[in-house]
Structures are given as structure tokens and as C-alpha cells.
Amino acid sequence: MKEKDLIYLNPVNQTSPFKFDDTVAKVFPDMIIRSVPGYSTIISAIGLLAAKFVQPASVCYDLGCSLGAATFSMRHHIVENDCKIIAVDNSKAMLQRCQELIFQDSSSINVELIESDIRDINIENASVVVINFTLQFIPINDRQSLINKIYQGLLPGGILILSEKLAFTDPAQQSLQTEMHHLFKKANGYSELEISRKRTALENILIPETLEQHQQRLLASGFNSAEVWFQYFNFASFLALK
Ligand code: GEK
């Protein structure tokens, strides 16, 4: 059974900035599903897209894999047996749990886990790259070079699936979408206090950009097209085609 996220009920966690440590890793599946509108839909679609776009003897990357939800979705949908999945995260706590889940999983598709900053790894021979709610934690100035590296490492016909929390230039939209996200969290059992404490903890750590900024960056790196295939309030997922 999933362990419940009670982190921000605890006043001790009120002031420290958000970290992907063991406390977070323990409750992560519950946290992300109750906090990110559309998360399970996105995870399922990642498997479907990977199955369609994977190429023989290529690599599928899951950048910022956490407990490997996108990795497992790819693993269970892909039928190409000679491909491999490389899942990367810089949180030891997340990777330890992810490794345990891989041991319990029955798929025969090879998964390599790498503990690293995603800015420091090589991307090669990729048919599918997933970066699901992780670019938002990378300093804005480093985002273009990371997307460029992904584009360069993709094979012709390869895809990038990028999911992000969004910002809006129109203040009325920004405040409405933020309010709807908070109502989503409230409907999922988080209190006002937990929502506001988490918001403070994520300040300057999770930096959302607008849909247009993401699209421009994707196109600037060389992708032929970059469209939003899913959006639920201020959370969206892009599909970029090489
Ligand atoms: C999912 N994709 O379940 N390098 C490597 N990892 C990083 C970095 C970095 N520079 N910065 C943050 N992370 C997952 C969910 S969670 C999203 C992704 C969220 C890692 C961090 O350790 C965490 O595991 C993950 O990115 C972000 O589909 O919690 O909102």
C-alpha cells in the first residue's frame, strides 16, 4: 500500500527548502498523484508513445526518473526486446527505491540506473527521451543546453516527451490556474496549511515557464515540431518530434 504524504502537516518541515530525500522518496507515489493533475494519464501515455517510437537496438531515457514510473510504463509497453532503458536521477534515496522496484518487476527489458545530474550525462542512440516534471528543477540558464543535448542524442524519427508545470503571462490566468491547482490538491485531501507550506518550500526550486517558452526552446534546439498533447490546469506535456 502507498504510504501517505503527511510531510507538510509537520511544522518542522515548514521552513526548509524542498529536497528529494528519503522522507520524500518514501511517500512519493502518493505525493505526486495527489499533487500533479493528470499524472497517471501522462504516465500511461508515455508507455504508448514509447511503444510506437522505440527503434531496434536503441535507448529510451527517463531523465529525473524518481521511482521510475515512466520507466515502468515504457518497460511494460515496449515489445522491442533489444532496446534498453537508462533512468537517471541525482537523488540517492529515489534511486535506491527505484532499484528495489525494478528487482520486483518482471519485464525482461534491461534498465540501467544512473545516479547523476542530468546535465552531466551523455545521451546517445536514443529513440525516446522522457523528462517528466524535472526540467522545472534545472536552473533556467541550463535548460537550452540540456534540450540541445537531448536533440543531438536522438536518432532521426526520435521523440522527446517533456512534462512541466506551466506559468502564464496573463495575470488573471496565472491566478486562476494556480487556484484550480490548489483546489485539485484540496480535493485530494491536502489542507490549506499543507498546500501553502509546500508552496513556500518549492519557491525558487521549481521554476515554471510558459508554454511558449518551452515550445520556442524545443524548436530552437532543432525539433521539427513541438506540440502540447496534454494539459490539465497548469500542468502540460509536450511531444517534440525529431
Ligand atoms: C515521474 N519523472 O514519476 N539531475 C537529476 N535529477 C534531478 C535533477 C537533476 N539536476 N533535479 C531534480 N532531479 C518522475 C517525477 S520528480 C517531479 C520527477 C516532482 C530529480 C529529483 O531528484 C526528482 O526525483 C525528480 O527529478 C523530479 O514521472 O517531484 O515534481
Short mmCIF file of all heavy atoms in Angstrom, two decimals, residues 107-133:
data_model
loop_
_atom_site.label_atom_id
_atom_site.label_comp_id
_atom_site.label_asym_id
_atom_site.label_seq_id
_atom_site.Cartn_x
_atom_site.Cartn_y
_atom_site.Cartn_z
N SER A 107 9.44 -7.51 -16.10
CA SER A 107 9.78 -7.29 -17.51
C SER A 107 11.23 -7.66 -17.79
O SER A 107 12.11 -7.51 -16.94
CB SER A 107 9.56 -5.82 -17.86
OG SER A 107 10.25 -5.50 -19.04
N SER A 108 11.48 -8.11 -19.03
CA SER A 108 12.85 -8.54 -19.35
C SER A 108 13.65 -7.39 -19.98
O SER A 108 14.84 -7.56 -20.27
CB SER A 108 12.79 -9.73 -20.30
OG SER A 108 12.11 -9.32 -21.47
N ILE A 109 13.02 -6.25 -20.20
CA ILE A 109 13.77 -5.14 -20.83
C ILE A 109 14.78 -4.57 -19.83
O ILE A 109 14.46 -4.29 -18.67
CB ILE A 109 12.80 -4.06 -21.36
CG1 ILE A 109 12.05 -4.65 -22.57
CG2 ILE A 109 13.53 -2.77 -21.74
CD1 ILE A 109 11.06 -3.79 -23.23
N ASN A 110 16.00 -4.45 -20.32
CA ASN A 110 17.10 -4.04 -19.48
C ASN A 110 16.96 -2.58 -19.03
O ASN A 110 16.68 -1.71 -19.84
CB ASN A 110 18.37 -4.23 -20.34
CG ASN A 110 19.63 -3.99 -19.57
OD1 ASN A 110 19.62 -3.91 -18.33
ND2 ASN A 110 20.74 -3.84 -20.29
N VAL A 111 17.14 -2.34 -17.71
CA VAL A 111 17.12 -0.96 -17.21
C VAL A 111 18.45 -0.68 -16.52
O VAL A 111 18.89 -1.44 -15.66
CB VAL A 111 15.99 -0.73 -16.17
CG1 VAL A 111 16.01 0.72 -15.66
CG2 VAL A 111 14.62 -1.05 -16.75
N GLU A 112 19.09 0.41 -16.93
CA GLU A 112 20.32 0.85 -16.26
C GLU A 112 19.98 2.11 -15.47
O GLU A 112 19.41 3.06 -16.03
CB GLU A 112 21.37 1.18 -17.33
CG GLU A 112 22.72 1.55 -16.77
CD GLU A 112 23.70 1.96 -17.89
OE1 GLU A 112 23.53 1.51 -19.03
OE2 GLU A 112 24.60 2.75 -17.58
N LEU A 113 20.32 2.08 -14.16
CA LEU A 113 20.06 3.26 -13.33
C LEU A 113 21.35 4.04 -13.17
O LEU A 113 22.39 3.46 -12.88
CB LEU A 113 19.58 2.84 -11.94
CG LEU A 113 18.17 2.27 -11.82
CD1 LEU A 113 17.81 2.08 -10.34
CD2 LEU A 113 17.16 3.18 -12.48
N ILE A 114 21.28 5.34 -13.36
CA ILE A 114 22.48 6.17 -13.21
C ILE A 114 22.19 7.27 -12.19
O ILE A 114 21.21 8.02 -12.34
CB ILE A 114 22.90 6.80 -14.56
CG1 ILE A 114 23.21 5.71 -15.59
CG2 ILE A 114 24.10 7.72 -14.38
CD1 ILE A 114 23.65 6.24 -16.95
N GLU A 115 23.05 7.33 -11.15
CA GLU A 115 22.91 8.43 -10.19
C GLU A 115 23.75 9.59 -10.68
O GLU A 115 24.98 9.56 -10.62
CB GLU A 115 23.38 7.97 -8.80
CG GLU A 115 23.13 9.04 -7.74
CD GLU A 115 23.66 8.64 -6.38
OE1 GLU A 115 23.71 7.43 -6.05
OE2 GLU A 115 24.07 9.56 -5.65
N SER A 116 23.09 10.59 -11.20
CA SER A 116 23.84 11.72 -11.77
C SER A 116 22.90 12.90 -11.97
O SER A 116 21.68 12.74 -12.07
CB SER A 116 24.41 11.31 -13.14
OG SER A 116 24.91 12.43 -13.83
N ASP A 117 23.52 14.04 -12.06
CA ASP A 117 22.80 15.23 -12.53
C ASP A 117 22.53 15.00 -14.02
O ASP A 117 23.44 14.59 -14.75
CB ASP A 117 23.67 16.47 -12.31
CG ASP A 117 22.88 17.75 -12.51
OD1 ASP A 117 22.31 17.93 -13.61
OD2 ASP A 117 22.85 18.56 -11.58
N ILE A 118 21.31 15.27 -14.46
CA ILE A 118 21.00 15.00 -15.88
C ILE A 118 21.76 15.94 -16.82
O ILE A 118 21.86 15.69 -18.00
CB ILE A 118 19.48 15.03 -16.18
CG1 ILE A 118 18.85 16.36 -15.78
CG2 ILE A 118 18.78 13.89 -15.49
CD1 ILE A 118 17.38 16.48 -16.18
N ARG A 119 22.33 17.02 -16.25
CA ARG A 119 23.14 17.91 -17.10
C ARG A 119 24.49 17.29 -17.41
O ARG A 119 25.19 17.73 -18.31
CB ARG A 119 23.35 19.26 -16.40
CG ARG A 119 22.10 20.11 -16.35
CD ARG A 119 22.25 21.28 -15.42
NE ARG A 119 22.32 20.84 -14.02
CZ ARG A 119 22.44 21.65 -12.99
NH1 ARG A 119 22.52 22.96 -13.17
NH2 ARG A 119 22.48 21.18 -11.75
N ASP A 120 24.89 16.25 -16.65
CA ASP A 120 26.25 15.69 -16.79
C ASP A 120 26.31 14.38 -17.57
O ASP A 120 27.38 13.80 -17.70
CB ASP A 120 26.86 15.45 -15.40
CG ASP A 120 26.99 16.74 -14.63
OD1 ASP A 120 27.07 17.81 -15.27
OD2 ASP A 120 26.98 16.68 -13.38
N ILE A 121 25.19 13.85 -18.02
CA ILE A 121 25.25 12.55 -18.71
C ILE A 121 25.30 12.73 -20.22
O ILE A 121 24.89 13.76 -20.75
CB ILE A 121 24.05 11.64 -18.34
CG1 ILE A 121 22.72 12.38 -18.65
CG2 ILE A 121 24.09 11.19 -16.90
CD1 ILE A 121 21.63 11.46 -19.08
N ASN A 122 25.77 11.68 -20.91
CA ASN A 122 25.72 11.67 -22.38
C ASN A 122 24.40 11.06 -22.81
O ASN A 122 23.92 10.11 -22.19
CB ASN A 122 26.84 10.79 -22.95
CG ASN A 122 28.19 11.41 -22.70
OD1 ASN A 122 28.33 12.63 -22.69
ND2 ASN A 122 29.19 10.56 -22.49
N ILE A 123 23.86 11.59 -23.89
CA ILE A 123 22.65 10.99 -24.48
C ILE A 123 23.06 10.51 -25.86
O ILE A 123 23.52 11.30 -26.69
CB ILE A 123 21.52 12.03 -24.63
CG1 ILE A 123 21.29 12.80 -23.33
CG2 ILE A 123 20.26 11.40 -25.21
CD1 ILE A 123 20.14 12.37 -22.51
N GLU A 124 22.92 9.20 -26.07
CA GLU A 124 23.36 8.62 -27.35
C GLU A 124 22.37 7.57 -27.82
O GLU A 124 21.77 6.87 -27.01
CB GLU A 124 24.71 7.90 -27.15
CG GLU A 124 25.87 8.88 -27.08
CD GLU A 124 27.10 8.24 -26.45
OE1 GLU A 124 27.01 7.15 -25.85
OE2 GLU A 124 28.17 8.85 -26.57
N ASN A 125 22.22 7.46 -29.13
CA ASN A 125 21.43 6.38 -29.73
C ASN A 125 20.01 6.30 -29.15
O ASN A 125 19.48 5.23 -28.94
CB ASN A 125 22.18 5.05 -29.49
CG ASN A 125 21.57 3.90 -30.25
OD1 ASN A 125 21.00 4.09 -31.32
ND2 ASN A 125 21.66 2.71 -29.68
N ALA A 126 19.43 7.47 -28.89
CA ALA A 126 18.12 7.49 -28.23
C ALA A 126 16.99 7.49 -29.25
O ALA A 126 17.07 8.19 -30.26
CB ALA A 126 18.00 8.74 -27.35
N SER A 127 15.96 6.70 -28.97
CA SER A 127 14.75 6.80 -29.80
C SER A 127 13.66 7.55 -29.04
O SER A 127 12.84 8.23 -29.65
CB SER A 127 14.25 5.42 -30.23
OG SER A 127 14.12 4.57 -29.12
N VAL A 128 13.66 7.42 -27.71
CA VAL A 128 12.65 8.08 -26.87
C VAL A 128 13.36 8.70 -25.67
O VAL A 128 14.14 8.03 -24.99
CB VAL A 128 11.60 7.05 -26.36
CG1 VAL A 128 10.59 7.71 -25.43
CG2 VAL A 128 10.91 6.35 -27.52
N VAL A 129 13.10 9.97 -25.43
CA VAL A 129 13.61 10.61 -24.20
C VAL A 129 12.41 11.19 -23.45
O VAL A 129 11.58 11.89 -24.02
CB VAL A 129 14.63 11.74 -24.52
CG1 VAL A 129 15.07 12.42 -23.22
CG2 VAL A 129 15.85 11.18 -25.25
N VAL A 130 12.34 10.84 -22.16
CA VAL A 130 11.27 11.35 -21.30
C VAL A 130 11.90 12.25 -20.25
O VAL A 130 12.88 11.86 -19.61
CB VAL A 130 10.54 10.17 -20.60
CG1 VAL A 130 9.53 10.69 -19.58
CG2 VAL A 130 9.87 9.27 -21.63
N ILE A 131 11.34 13.44 -20.09
CA ILE A 131 11.77 14.28 -18.98
C ILE A 131 10.48 14.80 -18.34
O ILE A 131 9.90 15.79 -18.76
CB ILE A 131 12.84 15.32 -19.39
CG1 ILE A 131 13.15 16.27 -18.25
CG2 ILE A 131 12.55 16.07 -20.65
CD1 ILE A 131 14.48 16.98 -18.38
N ASN A 132 10.01 13.99 -17.38
CA ASN A 132 8.67 14.15 -16.82
C ASN A 132 8.74 14.94 -15.52
O ASN A 132 9.14 14.41 -14.48
CB ASN A 132 8.08 12.74 -16.57
CG ASN A 132 6.57 12.71 -16.65
OD1 ASN A 132 5.96 13.44 -17.44
ND2 ASN A 132 5.95 11.88 -15.83
N PHE A 133 8.38 16.22 -15.58
CA PHE A 133 8.36 17.11 -14.42
C PHE A 133 9.73 17.23 -13.74
O PHE A 133 9.83 17.18 -12.53
CB PHE A 133 7.27 16.65 -13.42
CG PHE A 133 5.91 16.65 -14.03
CD1 PHE A 133 5.25 15.47 -14.32
CD2 PHE A 133 5.31 17.85 -14.40
CE1 PHE A 133 4.00 15.47 -14.94
CE2 PHE A 133 4.06 17.86 -15.02
CZ PHE A 133 3.40 16.67 -15.29
#
